[in-house]
Amino acid sequence: MLRWTGAAAAMSCLPAWSAGNYPNRPIKIVVPVAAGGGTDFAARLLADKLGPALGQPVIVENRPGGAGNLGAQLVAESTPDGYTLVMPITSFPINPSLYKLGFDTVKDFAPVVLVGTLPLVLVVHPSVAARDVKELIQLAKTAPQSVTFANSGTGTTAHLAGELFNHMAGTRMLGVPYKGGGPAMSDLLGGHVQVYFSTIPAALPHIQAGKVRALAVTGTARLPDLPQIPTVDASGLPGFEVTAWFGLFAPGRTPPAVIQRLHSELAHILAMPDVQQRLANHGVIPGGGTPESLRDFLAADMAKWSRVVQVAGVQVQ
């Protein structure tokens, strides 16, 4: 049974149809970035399956801006009736440590389901002498701040992965910010920076072509696309783990019966072989679990990145 704080009060103040007859009109999934990225892809993939399952159209609406915070706030302030949902970008658990938000990331959202996780891959330019994580750490310690790592923007998962690596390894690699993953990868390929924590789809063709060298993946296990590449944890930096993720959320105080209906349908969709394959093609490990497990996952990630931001002194300009 799902238990949500304030659920009884929420049920009493919403129309009777909100749970019993849900849904009886179109549902909107807000994606707080422009169309075309990984978050947008995942949202549209689920929307195409969820609409027929619920018997109502499910529309994806892109609301970019504010590092994903504008779209998230729109949903936080929406009526908690299950008709407006959000799939936040992967910096969702990081943003509370970097921005003054107009919403509470935990209290103002009701988790529905973890859509998928996205481990990164630690890649270096071929000119870098390091062949594994231990050698990279030694190289970075030998010449502090002479080793540079690209990031796809201040406060992104790629950025904080580098900062976490510095903190745990005792290195001082110098972070170089870019306006997105494309420019970051481009400069790595050109040898203008030496290290990058990349998404798997962005790095894989360059790894296969020998244009960059993969040292390790940042998740808890080796990946099917890179079976020969160990984890960072197992290859020189015990305890290191960085996993970006997508999740679907409703506004806080959404009735438990509505959350359960959405969760049931989405859990079934995420188990479909074609959905799992399409997610895997984009470097996403399909998710699942309960709404409560997603709430715990979010809280743990927020605490983790808060510590990294504080230790690294990361600030958004």
Side-chain angles (χ1 to χ4, degrees), residues 133-134 136-138 140-141 161-173 232 236-238 240:
V133 170
K134 289 182 179 179
L136 177 61
I137 292 172
Q138 184 59 43
K141 286 184 175 180
E163 298 294 355
L164 179 62
F165 187 95
N166 273 340
H167 173 61
M168 294 183 63
T171 54
R172 292 168 57 194
M173 294 190 301
V232 177
L237 200 57
F240 184 94

Side-chain angles (χ1 to χ4, degrees), residues 195-244:
V195 179
Y196 183 35
F197 287 88
S198 173
T199 61
I200 305 298
L204 190 58
H206 304 303
I207 295 170
Q208 293 170 336
K211 295 180 179 179
V212 299
R213 183 186 310 125
L215 301 188
V217 294
T218 67
T220 58
R222 296 189 184 215
L223 301 177
D225 287 335
L226 296 167
Q228 76 281 16
I229 306 301
T231 65
V232 177
D233 170 81
S235 58
L237 200 57
F240 184 94
E241 179 193 353
V242 173
T243 305

Side-chain angles (χ1 to χ4, degrees), residues 22-289:
Y22 177 84
N24 61 9
R25 54 188 171 87
I27 296 167
K28 176 171 62 180
I29 300 176
V30 173
V31 174
V33 288
T39 310
D40 182 69
F41 161 76
R44 293 181 187 277
L45 174 61
L46 294 187
D48 287 345
K49 299 284 189 177
L50 185 60
L54 293 176
Q56 292 290 339
V58 178
I59 302 162
V60 173
E61 180 178 304
N62 298 91
R63 286 293 188 98
N69 295 322
L70 295 183
Q73 182 162 349
L74 172 69
V75 175
E77 296 174 348
S78 296
T79 303
D81 55 10
Y83 290 97
T84 304
L85 311 173
V86 65
M87 188 175 290
I89 60 176
T90 56
S91 61
F92 187 57
I94 300 171
N95 286 347
S97 299
L98 295 173
Y99 300 93
K100 184 177 181 180
L101 302 177
F103 55 84
D104 186 303
T105 304
V106 174
K107 295 180 181 179
D108 290 338
F109 295 93
V112 178
V113 70
L114 175 67
V115 175
T117 56
L118 301 90
L120 305 179
V121 57
L122 170 57
V123 290
V124 298
H125 187 265
S127 64
V128 175
R131 297 282 169 172
D132 56 35
V133 170
K134 289 182 179 179
E135 289 184 0
L136 177 61
I137 292 172
Q138 184 59 43
L139 178 65
K141 286 184 175 180
T142 301
Q145 294 196 322
S146 66
V147 177
T148 56
F149 74 92
N151 71 61
S152 52
T154 301
T156 60
T157 306
H159 175 205
L160 294 190
E163 298 294 355
L164 179 62
F165 187 95
N166 273 340
H167 173 61
M168 294 183 63
T171 54
R172 292 168 57 194
M173 294 190 301
L174 183 64
V176 181
Y178 291 88
K179 293 182 178 180
M185 179 58 76
S186 179
D187 262 18
L188 179 73
L189 292 171
H192 303 297
V193 288
Q194 296 157 294
V195 179
Y196 183 35
F197 287 88
S198 173
T199 61
I200 305 298
L204 190 58
H206 304 303
I207 295 170
Q208 293 170 336
K211 295 180 179 179
V212 299
R213 183 186 310 125
L215 301 188
V217 294
T218 67
T220 58
R222 296 189 184 215
L223 301 177
D225 287 335
L226 296 167
Q228 76 281 16
I229 306 301
T231 65
V232 177
D233 170 81
S235 58
L237 200 57
F240 184 94
E241 179 193 353
V242 173
T243 305
W245 52 272
F246 298 132
L248 198 68
F249 293 79
R253 300 188 303 110
T254 298
V258 172
I259 296 294
Q260 184 56 51
R261 176 73 196 282
L262 287 168
H263 176 267
S264 176
E265 298 294 353
L266 286 163
H268 176 71
I269 290 168
L270 286 168
M272 294 178 176
D274 64 317
V275 171
Q276 294 198 345
Q277 185 59 57
R278 292 183 66 186
L279 287 172
N281 290 343
H282 282 73
V284 180
I285 299 172

